[in-house]
Amino acid sequence: MPQVVGPRRCSRNHRLPLLFLLAGALSPLACVGEGSPSSSTGGGDATGAEFYPPSEFQDVFELTEETFNALVKPAIDITGGRVFHVLHLYYGKNVKGKENEFKKSVDMRPKIVQAAKKLRSSAVMVSGVDVSDLSMEEFLAKEGIEMSGSPTVVIFTPEGDREIFEDKPSNLAQYMTEKIKKYVSDDLTKYMPLLAPKQKTYKSFKKDKSLPRVVMILEAKKKSKKKEQLYDAISNLSVHYHGRLSFGYSKHRKIAKTFGANELPALFLIPAGMKFDSARPYTGTFAYRPLKTWLAQYLGGESQVPSALPPTKSIEFIPEINSNECLQKYCVSRGGICTMILLPQTLPEGEREYYLESMKLVRRALADKLGLTSLNAIHFVSLDSLKYSDWLEINFGLPAAEYARAIVWYPKKQAWSQYVGRFNAPEVSKWITLASKGKATAEPINVSEVKALEAHGEMDSSEDACSSLNDPLPDAVLPDSFKERMKTKKRGPKSKPSPPKMENYNSNRLPRPRSKAGKSFTLDSKIFKENVIDSPSHWLVWFQNEEPSEEKAAAWTKSARSLKGMVQFGVVAPEKRESLMEEFSIPADDEGESQIRLFPAKHLWAEGAESKLEESSWLDSQLESEELTKKALSLLSDSTGIFMIDSRDQSKSLESWMQSKPQAPRMVLFPSKDLEEPPFLMKALMVEFGNIIEFGVAMNSDVAFSKSLQIQKFPSIVIFAPQAPPGPDGKVQIGLIPYMGHVSFNAIAIYLESNIRVAPPQEATKDVKDEL
């Protein structure tokens, strides 16, 4: 069997092109921008920006001399809170004489990224500084940081003390966690005094109202994960908000009773200038980030604003929509769904930041749960709900309100859904996950088409920041693809020429629905030939001779949706019926009763037939949903061309199939249960793409064999494609590419059309059609 290499994945906006010429020549499989000459930075070099780019899903900031002075020296993070700083001093350029230092820096990087991910929820900021530039090395020397000639990790305390971390980088996160615990416990009186009745510390804490006070109440003896989690979070926050909040903790029953804490552990905040009886209980998750955003609403003291900041991480960027252009660019034109957080301008600044921070936490949760591909189909924006109250009421029926709300808008479906519940990250992320899968309760918008964004009836004419944005947009999050970028090679003068540019040149092809449901398309003479006659699909076309009743229209639409795109449905309006039929020489029904005409795919043509139009026929079918659906599915009864992997020995059967035609790409379904015949999905894909890619189905669910191919969930679809031309031994190396999208006809068809290109026919080539 040809060697299988995989799975291979590409970063988010780098498609995996399986490039084919009509002549059958195959180009190597590669990730555009990852190892391709066009994206090379030359000879495996990496600049500082490429080590920790803000667009990628990792948490290390890149510091310059300016941002070092603004953040490390005053011991603050980008929000102005007190933190420990962890600096990875690395050599980011593979220059002569520093090859070994560069290699060590590259080896250390993934461990620093992992540590930063774990330390993100703590009073620690992890950053990188490129010291391959002599001026930066000289600057650090002036600060008392001498480079030993190897990449180094330096730790700075809030007091400015520093130490070289000499342990394994993989132990960095645990070391910092323990260091903060000891830092606080060594000076509890300063950061988090123990409170007990009748003690001076408690009386002093109760009397001093100059700052907001935070009281944590724990069980006296009982150990629990929640108790440990809360204590660790508050220890870190007592450092982060030192001088802005006063912290204390207690295990005494009388103090618990004072605050009315019936269930422990518990947390309370007393605003500045108020007594204990004005305490506000915390009802969210006992974790660092939710607690941090909640407490940020009540900060006292003076804030420390950094004089310079590193670029904002894409995962943290939620744009505020301030014009119709911005709305179109961030929400409408990108597809997917748009999550709007509606924040009235009357909200206090701290509360507004709390809600925005909560949505950033939601994005993080979705990135971990759904993956970056799905995350980038869920767009997050904020909107001033008072300024644009008229627009919200006209389109969504939402009245003005002086509190925060969240809605999901489906621009393509012209529908929306509102979140109802507690505004915390876990609950909101669950709701958005359901909304992204079409499982949240949605309702149509109030108008036929969403009106342009206006502020109280007037278009916003101010200069819009969206107008200067490049693609990808600042909130597009990319995978951390450092390893792939390090493998890039400089394109020399003897490099092979790029393959000819492939493109989908069918300009009038109707777009597929970006949902699992099918759709009925409105047809006219301009698009009829390319979409119905020249396409490989089965088509049922309703030539209406009069305005249909609501019942008939609903039955047609229901049938079209239930076929999920596997058979295409189209409608010719009554006023266009005669002219279109005349133009394409479509004869009327002899009995004049049928309005539905079948345009079958090629495998149903009679022997010797030359066109779909020639083989089309009127159906003796009523406009009833069940009858239409049954007729449409009967068109997909043929399994010819789909390879059914033998259930007795799937490995041997797959090997035999691969060897029969090793250079052909293949798409294989591994089901979640045993099958008697290929599902309609695979039959429909065979009809649509069978002349370009071969299809196979594992008829039995062999979990052990599937997992040997690194398939972890079922049903799953995998693409096998040649990695390169045959070697000297005649064998072809096969790449295994997992299909990561939704297992539905429209989603798979869009994926194939986006990743398979067919060269346009040359003038000398006759009878060649673009099948995509």
Side-chain angles (χ1 to χ4, degrees):
M1 183 175 180
Q3 183 184 356
V4 175
V5 180
R8 181 164 183 191
R9 295 179 174 86
C10 299
S11 55
R12 187 192 67 83
N13 64 345
H14 296 155
R15 285 177 178 159
L16 195 62
L18 311 177
L19 301 179
F20 299 97
L21 301 180
L22 286 175
L26 180 70
S27 76
L29 189 66
C31 297
V32 177
E34 298 177 9
S36 62
S38 60
S39 67
S40 174
T41 58
D45 291 355
T47 65
E50 287 178 315
F51 243 73
Y52 300 111
S55 60
E56 292 187 351
F57 190 42
Q58 48 79 28
D59 298 288
V60 185
F61 291 89
E62 194 72 48
L63 298 188
T64 61
E65 182 177 334
E66 184 181 19
T67 48
F68 180 96
N69 287 329
L71 297 170
V72 180
K73 281 188 175 181
I76 59 175
D77 65 1
I78 59 175
T79 64
R82 290 178 82 239
V83 292
F84 286 76
H85 277 278
V86 173
L87 294 190
H88 176 210
L89 308 180
Y90 66 86
Y91 292 83
K93 295 183 178 68
N94 191 11
V95 295
K96 189 174 182 180
K98 295 290 183 181
E99 293 89 351
N100 191 45
E101 289 83 352
F102 173 74
K103 183 180 182 302
K104 288 181 180 179
S105 298
V106 170
D107 291 342
M108 188 183 288
R109 181 190 181 278
K111 299 176 180 67
I112 300 297
V113 169
Q114 189 62 28
K117 182 179 180 180
K118 293 178 180 178
L119 293 170
R120 190 176 64 85
S121 295
S122 68
V124 179
M125 179 173 173
V126 182
S127 306
V129 176
D130 187 357
V131 295
S132 54
D133 186 348
L134 185 61
S135 62
M136 194 65 192
E137 191 168 355
E138 291 174 349
F139 165 73
L140 292 174
K142 291 179 182 178
E143 297 298 321
I145 306 171
E146 295 289 345
M147 292 301 296
S148 61
S150 297
T152 307
V153 174
V154 184
I155 299 169
F156 293 79
T157 69
E159 286 74 30
D161 299 329
R162 67 192 67 166
E163 66 172 296
I164 304 296
F165 180 71
E166 297 179 344
D167 198 355
K168 295 178 182 178
S170 55
N171 296 333
L172 177 59
Q174 182 63 31
Y175 177 81
M176 290 306 303
T177 301
E178 296 300 327
K179 187 176 182 69
I180 292 174
K181 281 184 182 179
K182 188 175 186 304
Y183 180 83
V184 174
S185 63
D186 285 350
D187 203 350
L188 273 179
T189 306
K190 177 180 177 181
Y191 289 103
M192 199 167 60
L194 178 63
L195 306 177
K198 299 181 181 180
Q199 287 188 354
K200 289 183 179 180
T201 304
Y202 176 64
K203 292 178 181 179
S204 175
F205 185 87
K206 190 174 182 179
K207 185 178 180 181
D208 187 357
K209 304 173 187 175
S210 59
L211 290 176
R213 289 159 290 172
V214 180
V215 178
M216 173 176 61
I217 305 175
L218 306 174
E219 303 97 321
K221 297 180 180 179
K222 183 181 176 182
K223 291 184 178 181
S224 70
K225 186 176 181 181
K226 188 183 288 188
K227 174 182 177 180
E228 184 181 350
Q229 188 176 1
L230 178 60
Y231 187 86
D232 288 346
I234 295 301
S235 295
N236 279 272
L237 288 167
S238 69
V239 176
H240 185 79
Y241 286 135
H242 183 67
R244 309 290 307 278
L245 297 171
S246 293
F247 289 82
Y249 81 102
S250 178
K251 299 180 181 180
H252 205 286
R253 284 180 295 176
K254 285 188 177 180
I255 293 182
K257 189 175 181 180
T258 300
F259 287 93
N262 298 319
E263 185 178 345
L264 301 180
L267 189 80
F268 297 88
L269 181 135
I270 306 97
M274 294 188 179
K275 296 181 179 180
F276 275 14
D277 57 8
S278 299
R280 302 182 183 183
Y282 175 71
T283 58
T285 308
F286 288 148
Y288 179 85
R289 287 285 289 259
L291 282 163
K292 178 184 172 185
T293 55
W294 183 71
L295 294 174
Q297 303 173 74
Y298 306 100
L299 295 178
E302 293 185 7
S303 62
Q304 232 179 327
V305 180
S307 58
L309 293 172
T312 303
K313 297 287 184 183
S314 295
I315 192 73
E316 303 284 339
F317 181 68
I318 296 179
E320 181 176 2
I321 301 300
N322 54 18
S323 74
N324 191 60
E325 181 187 5
C326 209
L327 181 71
Q328 293 293 321
K329 193 150 192 174
Y330 273 106
C331 280
V332 180
S333 63
R334 302 171 77 179
I337 65 173
C338 190
T339 303
M340 290 186 174
I341 176 170
L342 308 178
L343 300 174
Q345 57 194 6
T346 52
L347 282 179
E349 185 176 350
E351 189 174 345
R352 178 184 177 85
E353 289 304 315
Y354 167 73
Y355 289 119
L356 285 173
E357 184 65 25
S358 296
M359 295 310 284
K360 293 174 186 177
L361 291 174
V362 168
R363 291 193 81 200
R364 291 263 182 183
L366 293 176
D368 291 332
K369 184 175 183 179
L370 302 179
L372 297 184
T373 301
S374 297
L375 174 72
N376 284 314
I378 305 171
H379 318 303
F380 288 76
V381 300
S382 69
L383 188 75
D384 187 333
S385 57
L386 289 185
K387 182 178 180 181
Y388 298 105
S389 58
D390 294 345
W391 181 80
L392 289 167
E393 187 162 6
I394 291 170
N395 293 291
F396 305 104
L398 284 172
E402 296 194 3
Y403 54 87
R405 293 169 289 176
I407 66 171
V408 161
W409 173 30
Y410 306 85
K412 300 291 184 184
K413 294 182 180 179
Q414 296 294 297
W416 70 289
S417 178
Q418 183 172 2
Y419 173 69
V420 178
R422 289 194 307 163
F423 210 108
N424 62 39
E427 295 299 322
V428 176
S429 63
K430 287 179 186 176
W431 171 69
I432 294 176
T433 300
L434 292 175
S436 69
K437 297 177 179 179
K439 295 180 180 180
T441 303
E443 53 187 291
I445 60 173
N446 286 356
V447 290
S448 58
E449 187 175 347
V450 171
K451 307 298 181 185
L453 184 68
E454 297 178 342
H456 304 302
E458 296 183 3
M459 293 289 288
D460 197 332
S461 58
S462 60
E463 285 192 20
D464 177 31
C466 288
S467 61
S468 61
L469 291 177
N470 297 319
D471 293 323
L473 293 176
D475 63 336
V477 186
L478 304 180
D480 185 0
S481 59
F482 182 78
K483 286 185 179 179
E484 286 80 1
R485 289 185 281 110
M486 287 300 97
K487 293 175 184 176
T488 57
K489 301 294 182 182
K490 187 173 182 180
R491 188 172 183 176
K494 295 183 180 180
S495 299
K496 293 182 180 179
S498 300
K501 185 178 180 181
M502 312 295 177
E503 57 183 18
N504 283 336
Y505 59 93
N506 242 346
S507 58
N508 288 328
R509 292 305 292 271
L510 292 164
R512 296 185 188 275
R514 290 190 173 270
S515 71
K516 63 182 180 182
K519 179 180 180 180
S520 177
F521 296 95
T522 301
L523 303 172
D524 57 31
S525 57
K526 291 182 180 179
I527 61 175
F528 190 82
K529 184 176 185 298
E530 282 185 289
N531 290 279
V532 179
I533 298 175
D534 289 346
S535 77
S537 314
H538 294 291
W539 274 85
L540 291 179
V541 181
W542 182 8
F543 289 85
Q544 297 175 343
N545 53 18
E546 61 182 0
E547 284 297 322
S549 65
E550 288 187 8
E551 183 180 0
K552 288 183 177 180
W556 179 265
T557 301
K558 182 179 178 181
S559 185
R561 288 178 62 82
S562 67
L563 263 293
K564 302 179 180 180
M566 296 184 293
V567 173
Q568 302 293 348
F569 282 63
V571 172
V572 177
E575 64 272 15
K576 297 181 180 179
R577 171 188 167 102
E578 289 188 13
S579 61
L580 191 146
M581 289 175 64
E582 182 179 350
E583 180 177 345
F584 292 97
S585 302
I586 299 173
D589 180 26
D590 294 337
E591 298 180 5
E593 295 182 359
S594 179
Q595 299 178 48
I596 303 171
R597 193 169 180 89
L598 166 65
F599 295 83
K602 191 171 184 178
H603 72 94
L604 294 184
W605 296 0
E607 188 176 351
E610 296 183 354
S611 75
K612 187 187 287 188
L613 184 60
E614 178 187 333
E615 289 295 295
S616 64
S617 60
W618 294 103
L619 295 183
D620 183 16
S621 180
Q622 300 299 316
L623 277 161
E624 296 178 357
S625 177
E626 288 187 12
E627 186 176 344
L628 280 170
T629 302
K630 186 176 180 180
K631 178 61 183 176
L633 288 175
S634 70
L635 302 173
L636 301 173
S637 59
D638 189 5
S639 301
T640 304
I642 299 176
F643 183 79
M644 288 173 265
I645 299 173
D646 195 332
S647 59
R648 292 170 296 182
D649 190 340
Q650 291 195 8
S651 178
K652 187 176 180 180
S653 182
L654 183 62
E655 177 182 354
S656 174
W657 184 38
M658 291 279 190
Q659 288 178 343
S660 65
K661 199 176 178 182
Q663 291 214 29
R666 292 169 167 81
M667 177 174 273
V668 181
L669 170 68
F670 291 88
S672 56
K673 59 183 179 181
D674 294 349
L675 302 174
E676 293 183 1
E677 63 172 320
F680 287 122
L681 168 66
M682 299 305 286
K683 294 175 183 178
L685 289 169
M686 181 68 194
V687 168
E688 194 84 9
F689 301 102
N691 67 327
I692 292 172
I693 186 169
E694 296 197 4
F695 292 89
V697 177
M699 301 305 292
N700 286 62
S701 179
D702 187 339
V703 175
F705 173 68
S706 301
K707 287 191 174 180
S708 71
L709 297 176
Q710 301 184 37
I711 297 169
Q712 301 298 327
K713 63 178 184 176
F714 304 92
S716 278
I717 289 179
V718 171
I719 298 171
F720 296 92
Q723 288 279 78
D729 58 357
K731 292 184 178 180
V732 176
Q733 190 181 53
I734 303 296
L736 185 154
I737 310 158
Y739 167 71
M740 307 300 287
H742 193 276
V743 181
S744 63
F745 179 83
N746 286 331
I748 297 172
I750 290 170
Y751 171 83
L752 290 174
E753 288 174 342
S754 300
N755 292 290
I756 297 180
R757 298 289 185 265
V758 178
Q762 304 299 319
E763 292 183 5
T765 306
K766 296 182 179 180
D767 301 324
V768 178
K769 294 184 291 184
D770 174 13
E771 295 296 346
L772 294 180

